[in-house]
Amino acid sequence: MCGKRSKCSFSRLEVILIVCLALMIAVTVVLLVLHFLIKKSNDSSRDVPNYLLGVGRADCTGPVAEIPLMGYANPKQVGGGLLTRLYSRAFIVADHDDSRRVVFVSADIGMVSQKLRLEVLKKLESKYSDLYRQDNVILSGTHTHSGPGGYFQYTLFWITSKGLIRPSLNAIVNGIVKSIDIAHQNMKRGRLFINRGTVENSQINRSPFSYLENPASERSRYSSDTDKEMVMLKMVDENGQELGLISWFAVHPVSMNNTNLLVNSDNVGYASYLFEQEKNKGMLPGEGSFVAAFASSNLGDVSPNTKGPFCINTGESCNNPQSSCPVGGATMCMATGPGSDMFDSTRIIGQNIYLKAKELYENASQEITGPISSAHQWVNMSNVSVELNATHTVKTCKPALGYSFAAGTIDGVGAFNFTQGSVEGDPFWDGIRDQLLGKPSNETKACHEPKPILFNTGEMSWPHPWHPDIVDVQMAAIGSLAIVAVPGEFTTMSGRRLREAVEREFESHGTPRMDVVIAGLCNVYTHYIATYEEYQVQRYEAASTIYGPHTLSAYIQLYRGLARAIATNTVQDLPRGPEPPVFSIGNLTLLPARTVDRAPVNKTFGDVLQEVRQQYRVGEAAEVTFVGANPRNSAENATEHNFLTVERYTNTSDSWQVVQNDASWDTRFYWTKGLLGQSKVTVEWHIPPDTELGLYRIRYFGHYRKRLSNGQAVSIPFEGTSSVFEITTP
């Protein structure tokens, strides 16, 4: 201790300890300051929106009567009404400084055709100059098989659609452009989040015997012969307001089978309907700012008909390599399910997809950040050299379809009892082919082996080429998300190989852990893309792989090139490629001419022929039949025509409030053509469980065609209204 008069002194050890303590305190203070500064910086940067975002939705339904439905190529499947409207859903993502942008459109159509894409791009150029181009605009079809056809320029599709149908093409073009316009006008700062999850009980592989041809070592890496994973992209603005979502999931929208005559968006469209109705509370279908797209992916061999294939005449399973029945052959083998009918199946599968998307949406936390880039090339797919390895190079082929193409699938059978798995031709059909269409060259036959060629479309050019040679390959990168836009239907394993190849290419050039999604049915339709191994057994998907056995290898090579260009920032060095041709097809169609509409004697258009009942219970269907007119008159007379409303009487305002329209899942609009210009329209309302009790009525809106004294035909609007009926307790 120190005395009163003496000064305290410290030993050398005590001095060292004091100095160390002071240094430790100083270092601690500095670290704490740095920690809070960095945290604050991270928090503030996390709050800064990474992108400019815009979403838009517009009607693209077109004519709903007398137009062949696109998908099954069934000549009997001609539009006869409407179940749900078709929409184009557009999403724009731009850098925060608006230097680069990408547009993704998912449209409720069978597929995007080359003519459709070229006309959309032409309209966009006239409006926005070079802001929206072939490299940064992706157009994808959901692949509903219940949308109007008639928007193709290649002869094969032209034949099955009964020509080029301008009202159908115009409706889709205008709808897509309008959806992009809406998204463009509503750009705002926002953020993107991605999530993934497994969808159960919603798909089966419809060609499992083809899938089993893939190497066992490859198959062992996967738990299923379908891709069950859904990828979901969530969009919110800088204030957290919800804007929309894009979901990619591999399933064919063929819950509605080839007997259906009502235009609709099938299971994925129903998922969009459910999500948008939930987020746009109090709005009618097709209204509201929130946009939910359920886009196609590698769905080539994926069916929603989960009960599997059975012989419709005997009930026994036909899950065999030929998908054929002992009695009746392949035409009797059909897959169904999971519902009691096709409407119920559509509802079940759509709801499954919606519920998984909702879960992923609510729990999405992985944010996407980073630059935006896009790449595009036109490629002559009839003549691509593919380097399989250092010593082997192969080539793609001129387009051709095999025998099994005519067999169809378990989702929609073909005709004349062709069977899947055909690796040999038939002298009878070969003779007919040679006489009517011409004999395929030895070069084409050798190139496509073991495919027996039924239609040598690559060598058929009258009146125009039957299949495209020039094809779009395209990719867009938004931060860690890469969207691979493919021009057709990749099978499950084809899609897996493509995704892996693109991921590896990005990683090898310093961009690891990319989220790669396949967007199907984009830009131009080239049928299917099966693996080399699947091609050898020639089921439907392989017979429809039109550029030969090495088609997948060619696409992998091409998309690796796009990924490399994006990863190394050398997109500008990519060769543009040969531009696709544009054919002057004209407006020649095989559609029946629109004639003058006539009402029965002592009746006028819109009069009720069969009245509703006075009372209905929830769960029943209210039904009314009107004197009708051809719905094509309305499609060609109005941009967006609503055929029906269900209205509820409101006591407080003494007025009628629209509660359902023709875009509603619960309404059905049937048109029946009669003789001498007469027709009937039947409207059904399947009353949902949550319907308020009270008084209701159903209204119908149409146009009838009349010829004036000067010979000119005009369309005149009319409407009809049912009697009032009451919804009562069950």
Side-chain angles (χ1 to χ4, degrees), residues 37 39 115 136-137 193 323 393 488 498 509 566 607 708 725:
L37 285 174
K39 186 175 186 298
K115 186 169 188 63
N136 69 352
V137 175
F193 297 88
S323 297
T393 300
L498 177 60
H509 291 89
I566 290 174
D607 281 356
L708 302 178
F725 57 94

Side-chain angles (χ1 to χ4, degrees), residues 633-644:
N633 301 333
S634 300
E636 298 183 22
N637 196 62
T639 306
E640 298 174 25
H641 178 75
N642 183 46
F643 287 107
L644 68 92

Side-chain angles (χ1 to χ4, degrees), residues 167-464:
S168 182
L169 174 63
N170 290 345
I172 302 171
V173 170
N174 294 337
I176 291 174
V177 172
K178 184 176 179 180
S179 68
I180 294 173
D181 287 342
I182 294 169
H184 177 88
Q185 293 158 10
N186 290 284
M187 298 283 285
K188 56 184 70 176
R189 295 190 179 277
R191 300 159 70 186
L192 298 175
F193 297 88
I194 193 170
N195 204 358
R196 297 171 176 267
T198 301
V199 183
E200 299 289 356
N201 305 316
S202 299
Q203 45 171 210
I204 60 170
N205 192 307
R206 69 185 187 190
S207 284
F209 299 97
S210 295
Y211 181 88
L212 289 172
E213 293 296 311
N214 294 304
S217 58
E218 182 179 33
R219 288 186 280 112
S220 67
R221 295 166 48 206
Y222 304 100
S223 60
S224 173
D225 58 5
T226 61
D227 274 342
K228 294 179 179 294
E229 186 175 67
M230 173 186 287
V231 179
M232 191 280 313
L233 186 66
K234 176 180 180 178
M235 301 182 176
V236 298
D237 73 8
E238 60 184 337
N239 299 315
Q241 179 184 340
E242 298 172 310
L243 301 177
L245 72 90
I246 310 172
S247 159
W248 289 275
F249 177 62
V251 68
H252 254 85
V254 290
S255 293
M256 300 295 291
N257 63 42
N258 64 5
T259 66
N260 167 61
L261 304 181
L262 299 182
V263 169
N264 71 87
S265 51
D266 214 281
N267 47 43
V268 292
Y270 183 58
S272 288
Y273 171 86
L274 290 175
F275 217 120
E276 290 177 350
Q277 284 294 97
E278 180 195 339
K279 294 298 182 181
N280 298 315
K281 295 287 188 187
M283 309 292 282
L284 290 170
E287 298 177 357
S289 61
F290 188 93
V291 180
F294 285 76
S296 59
S297 192
N298 55 316
L299 47 65
D301 52 359
V302 186
S303 168
N305 294 309
T306 53
K307 289 181 181 177
F310 287 85
C311 301
I312 57 177
N313 53 350
T314 66
E316 60 187 303
S317 172
C318 50
N319 188 25
N320 55 61
Q322 285 73 45
S323 297
S324 184
C325 294
V327 178
T331 57
M332 292 290 112
C333 184
M334 285 285 292
T336 60
S340 57
D341 58 27
M342 59 183 169
F343 296 94
D344 194 34
S345 293
T346 301
R347 180 189 60 80
I348 292 170
I349 298 298
Q351 188 169 52
N352 286 351
I353 298 169
Y354 153 72
L355 288 173
K356 175 53 66 173
K358 181 180 178 182
E359 174 193 324
L360 296 177
Y361 183 88
E362 291 172 349
N363 296 295
S365 59
Q366 179 186 339
E367 187 164 8
I368 288 180
T369 60
I372 292 174
S373 185
S374 57
H376 172 277
Q377 285 182 296
W378 283 304
V379 178
N380 184 351
M381 277 300 295
S382 298
N383 188 29
V384 176
S385 293
V386 184
E387 295 181 11
L388 295 180
N389 52 47
T391 58
H392 287 78
T393 300
V394 293
K395 295 185 73 173
T396 54
C397 314
K398 291 181 180 179
L401 291 162
Y403 266 65
S404 296
F405 164 76
T409 73
I410 60 172
D411 292 325
V413 297
F416 303 113
N417 218 24
F418 284 91
T419 59
Q420 296 199 62
S422 298
V423 292
E424 293 182 358
D426 180 276
F428 174 76
W429 290 113
D430 283 350
I432 292 177
R433 174 202 63 198
D434 295 349
Q435 290 296 317
L436 296 180
L437 304 174
K439 189 175 182 179
S441 67
N442 290 332
E443 178 187 3
T444 296
K445 288 195 289 186
C447 189
H448 278 274
E449 285 185 353
K451 177 194 291 179
I453 294 175
L454 184 62
F455 299 113
N456 54 316
T457 53
E459 297 174 333
M460 297 160 61
S461 57
W462 187 87
H464 301 289

Side-chain angles (χ1 to χ4, degrees), residues 480-526:
S480 60
L481 174 67
I483 304 172
V484 182
V486 300
E489 305 177 53
F490 278 60
T491 63
T492 297
M493 196 62 86
S494 291
R496 288 168 174 169
R497 291 183 189 178
L498 177 60
R499 280 197 305 265
E500 285 189 355
V502 170
E503 287 170 9
R504 285 197 301 267
E505 194 67 34
F506 273 112
E507 187 168 4
S508 68
H509 291 89
T511 313
R513 295 181 295 280
M514 289 290 284
D515 290 298
V516 178
V517 297
I518 291 175
L521 290 305
C522 292
N523 301 334
V524 56
Y525 186 58
T526 64

